[in-house]
Amino acid sequence: MEEQYEYIMVFTPYHPYHHLSFYCYDKSVYGNLSVGTAISTTMGYGIIVKKNIPEDKLPNIDIYDIGGLASEKITKQIKKEWWDTVLTIHNFLQEQQK
């Protein structure tokens, strides 16, 4: 099966210094992941906050593959502790852009 990489921005709330990072994943392995999906990364667990980032819009840094999907327990924990906050910030920023 041919590799189909998609670049994503991930919010990693448990990392002590970096909270937004860029990653990629192979859609032929994981399917089409949506915003809000909890995943395992090199910086710990995180939530996808932006999808379909074009290669020419990526920062000039190393981009790593995700480590896999988070377990159901981790997914529930992240969504309980962080998802409402992420949505509040997102909505605020959307209003500021109008």
Side-chain angles (χ1 to χ4, degrees), residues 11-56:
F11 174 59
T12 51
Y14 305 114
H15 191 275
Y17 304 111
H18 304 285
H19 298 290
L20 282 176
S21 306
F22 293 90
Y23 286 90
C24 69
Y25 72 94
D26 187 348
K27 290 172 74 170
S28 65
V29 174
Y30 296 104
N32 190 20
L33 301 180
S34 61
V35 169
T37 301
I39 59 172
S40 174
T41 74
T42 55
M43 294 180 164
Y45 293 104
I47 303 170
I48 298 174
V49 293
K50 189 171 184 180
K51 294 179 35 95
N52 302 320
I53 300 171
E55 284 189 55
D56 63 335

Side-chain angles (χ1 to χ4, degrees), residues 55-69:
E55 284 189 55
D56 63 335
K57 300 293 183 191
L58 293 170
N60 189 18
I61 58 173
D62 292 333
I63 307 292
Y64 297 101
D65 291 343
I66 65 170
L69 299 176

Side-chain angles (χ1 to χ4, degrees), residues 76-87:
K76 286 179 182 178
Q77 176 186 343
I78 289 175
K79 289 195 176 189
K80 180 180 177 187
E81 294 176 0
W82 291 101
W83 193 238
D84 286 340
T85 303
V86 169
L87 290 177

